[in-house]
Each structure stands twice: as structure tokens, then as C-alpha cells.
Amino acid sequence: MYPILEKVKIAEDACLLRIRAEHVAKGEPGQFVMVQHTELSEPVPLSILEIHKDGFSCLVKAVGRSTLELVEEAKDLYYVAGPLGKPFPVKKYGVVAFYTFSWGIAPALNVARALKEHENKLLLCHTSEDFYLKEKAMSIFDEFFSLDKSEAIRADLFVTTGSNQLPMELSSLHPQTPIVSMVNTHMLDAVGLCLVCRILVDGAQKLACVDGPWFEAHKVDWASLMDRERAYQEQEKVALEEYKKMLKRKSLRS
Ligand SMILES: Cc1cc2nc3c(=O)[nH]c(=O)nc-3n(C[C@H](O)[C@H](O)[C@H](O)COP(=O)(O)OP(=O)(O)OC[C@H]3O[C@@H](n4cnc5c(N)ncnc54)[C@H](O)[C@@H]3O)c2cc1C
Ligand code: FES
């Protein structure tokens, strides 16, 4: 078991977790973990927000059954694997403009901290209403801009997190500028065996868990990725509704 040392609700449907898991403490910027609440829960990929001596912290946004379970019920975790995936390529680029959506602020902050040490100028456009960790972002990023200014923004590198839609749109807006994007796929084992996270990059099959999660956005087939991600939407909806009913029964009993 991995104890949750601290759990802070930052919204009705989101929380920050600080987890003791010493093996994750060697994680590098841009890596992620797989966590599982109980033996019967689904494993969920979560980005590392910050590394601590005895583990790490992360941000959880409830979008379905498993993330809601982490927000509502988890006091400790049955399983924590990591650090996983390839780290973000940290170096001096010049001006780096981030686009984040929802929980995407967590991996963005983790990567931005490291890019700052390499003297990059950092810009941020947060594109959803749920702007968590805003104060932290204000202490790391140099400038903020809104989505409607996108066309005018000049950067040496764009970075996107938390959305598959954003990098697709950005690729056509800035065809000449490199874009490094965190790909969002369902994941099961996260070590390259189940192929659940496969995507097409430059026409070749890649695995988001071991080859990613960071890819050059211009090369990713976003349309086919988003199509596949929608495949189990109906079942995911039912699982969420059933879980909410169970939570309600539990609260009525106590
Ligand atoms: C590398 C990586 C890092 C991530 N980091 C974080 C993080 O730091 N914090 C966080 O809260 N979430 C993060 N996620 C997303 C998180 O893993 C998913 O939201 C979660 O697996 C959904 O599980 P669920 O059972 O709650 O919802 P599901 O029932 O699986 O899905 C509910 C809805 O969300 C959509 N969905 C499911 N998984 C994803 C996904 N990966 N991306 C986009 N939409 C999805 C489904 O299509 C469906 O509409 C990360 C994902 C990846 C791949
Ligand atoms: S999650 Fe199984 S191969 Fe990537």
C-alpha cells in the first residue's frame, strides 16, 4: 500500500495528492505514474506535478469513474508504478509558449520549472475555466495570453498538455513552429505490452506509454487517435453513473 500523505480538495471535482512512493522520487520532468486505488480499481495514468524526497504529488481531475474514485474515496493506493514514459526534452529553446487544458496544468508546471532553469522565456495560455494552481503558474510563467491571441504569438517552441484537440488546431495555425504535445490515451499496463495506447506518428505505430507521452504534434494523426478514444464512451458513462449511485447509497448509510 502507498499512503496518501496529503489530500487537498481544490474544487468539487479535483484534488491534489501527495503520495509516499519512494521509487517515483527519481522521476524527471514530464514523466507520469500509473495509480490504482484498490485491487479491483482501474489503473489511471497521472502526471507527476512535483517530486518529493519520499514520493511525488499530482493533480486529479474527476472525469469518469476511476478519477472520481480517487477524488472521493482514496485514502491510500494499492498500486503505484513509475516514473513512466520518456522525460520532456529539457534544454534552452528561447521562447516557449504552453497551451494547457484542465489537469494539463500539472505536467506543464513540472516541465516549465525545468525549462526555466535553462533560461527559457515561458508563456502560458490556459484554455479551460478550471484553472487550478494559478498562483503557482504565476510564479513560474513570465507572461499569460488568451486563446484569441494565438495567431499573433511567436515562439521557438509550443507545448500542449491535457487535450488532443489543442495540438491539432495549433498545428494548422503554426505549421512552421515545432510543437511538443502530451498525447492523451487510455492506458492499461503502461509498459508497452497491451497496445491500448497505440497512436500513429508519421504513419508508424508508436506507444504513448513507452515512446511518449511527448510527441511532435505535426507528426501525430490526431483524428484517428480521438476516434479511438471515443470508442467506449457509452460504457464509461454507465460506469460513472453506477459509481455515483453507489456513492450515494454509501452516504445515505453513514
Ligand atoms: C500520460 C497521461 C498523463 C495524465 N495526467 C493526468 C493528470 O495529471 N491528472 C488528471 O486528472 N488526469 C490525467 N490524465 C488523464 C487521466 O488518466 C484520465 O482522465 C483517466 O484515465 C480517465 O479515467 P476515468 O475512469 O476517470 O474516466 P473514463 O471513464 O475512462 O473516461 C471519462 C471520459 O474522459 C475521457 N478520457 C478518458 N481518458 C482520457 C484521457 N487520457 N485523455 C482525455 N480524455 C480521456 C473519455 O473519453 C470519457 O469521455 C493523464 C493521461 C495520460 C495519458
Ligand atoms: S498502455 Fe499498454 S502498451 Fe501502452
Side-chain angles (χ1 to χ4, degrees):
M1 279 290 179
Y2 298 91
I4 296 177
L5 303 174
E6 207 179 334
K7 183 172 192 172
V8 183
K9 267 239 180 166
I10 49 174
E12 195 53 45
D13 58 354
C15 69
L16 294 173
L17 300 179
R18 187 169 162 216
I19 296 155
R20 185 185 299 145
E22 279 160 21
H23 56 290
V24 179
K26 60 178 187 292
E28 291 180 48
Q31 289 190 293
F32 68 97
V33 293
M34 289 295 281
V35 308
Q36 201 177 336
H37 175 215
T38 69
E39 197 175 357
L40 298 177
S41 309
E42 251 180 15
V44 180
L46 294 175
S47 310
I48 297 173
L49 167 63
E50 224 169 307
I51 289 289
H52 304 286
K53 259 204 324 266
D54 56 354
F56 67 101
S57 53
C58 59
L59 185 160
V60 187
K61 164 86 177 184
V63 297
R65 194 219 185 282
S66 308
T67 41
L68 186 61
E69 193 180 322
L70 288 171
V71 171
E72 290 296 326
E73 292 198 287
K75 292 192 171 63
D76 46 31
L77 301 172
Y78 169 75
Y79 175 76
V80 177
L84 297 165
K86 290 198 164 54
F88 187 93
V90 174
K91 60 176 182 174
K92 178 153 184 173
Y93 292 94
V95 178
V96 184
F98 282 71
Y99 285 79
T100 53
F101 184 87
S102 186
W103 56 261
I105 192 65
L109 283 171
N110 187 230
V111 166
R113 235 179 264 118
L115 288 176
K116 187 102 182 167
E117 282 171 22
H118 284 69
E119 295 173 4
N120 290 287
K121 181 175 178 183
L122 304 177
L123 317 183
L124 174 66
C125 173
H126 188 74
T127 63
S128 56
E129 279 180 15
D130 52 355
F131 193 172
Y132 310 122
L133 304 169
K134 194 171 182 177
E135 274 182 28
K136 237 180 208 166
M138 287 173 88
S139 69
I140 294 175
F141 287 90
D142 299 296
E143 281 173 31
F144 294 79
F145 64 97
S146 55
L147 205 49
D148 58 356
K149 300 278 181 311
S150 278
E151 216 164 332
I153 290 292
R154 295 288 164 262
D156 300 292
L157 177 72
F158 289 107
V159 179
T160 73
T161 54
S163 155
N164 292 330
Q165 187 70 38
L166 273 175
M168 194 165 80
E169 288 166 7
L170 209 56
S171 297
S172 44
L173 207 58
H174 295 284
Q176 306 302 334
T177 314
I179 306 171
V180 175
S181 294
M182 178 182 254
V183 159
N184 293 324
T185 62
H186 286 76
M187 290 186 184
L188 201 53
D189 65 343
V191 291
L193 294 174
C194 71
L195 308 187
V196 161
C197 68
R198 64 191 182 281
I199 58 169
L200 284 174
V201 181
D202 237 358
Q205 188 173 287
K206 296 280 176 193
L207 298 175
C209 65
V210 288
D211 302 317
W214 303 97
F215 292 94
E216 168 48 65
H218 295 291
K219 298 182 177 171
V220 174
D221 183 341
W222 296 103
S224 75
L225 164 59
M226 285 192 281
D227 250 11
R228 281 195 43 239
E229 284 298 297
R230 282 191 285 267
Y232 294 102
Q233 237 167 18
E234 269 312 302
Q235 290 88 334
E236 286 163 349
K237 214 167 129 200
V238 173
L240 179 62
E241 276 160 15
E242 288 302 313
Y243 180 65
K244 280 183 174 166
K245 280 186 209 158
M246 195 278 288
L247 278 180
K248 197 161 183 191
R249 283 199 297 275
K250 246 184 163 176
S251 78
L252 288 174
R253 258 187 263 132
S254 61

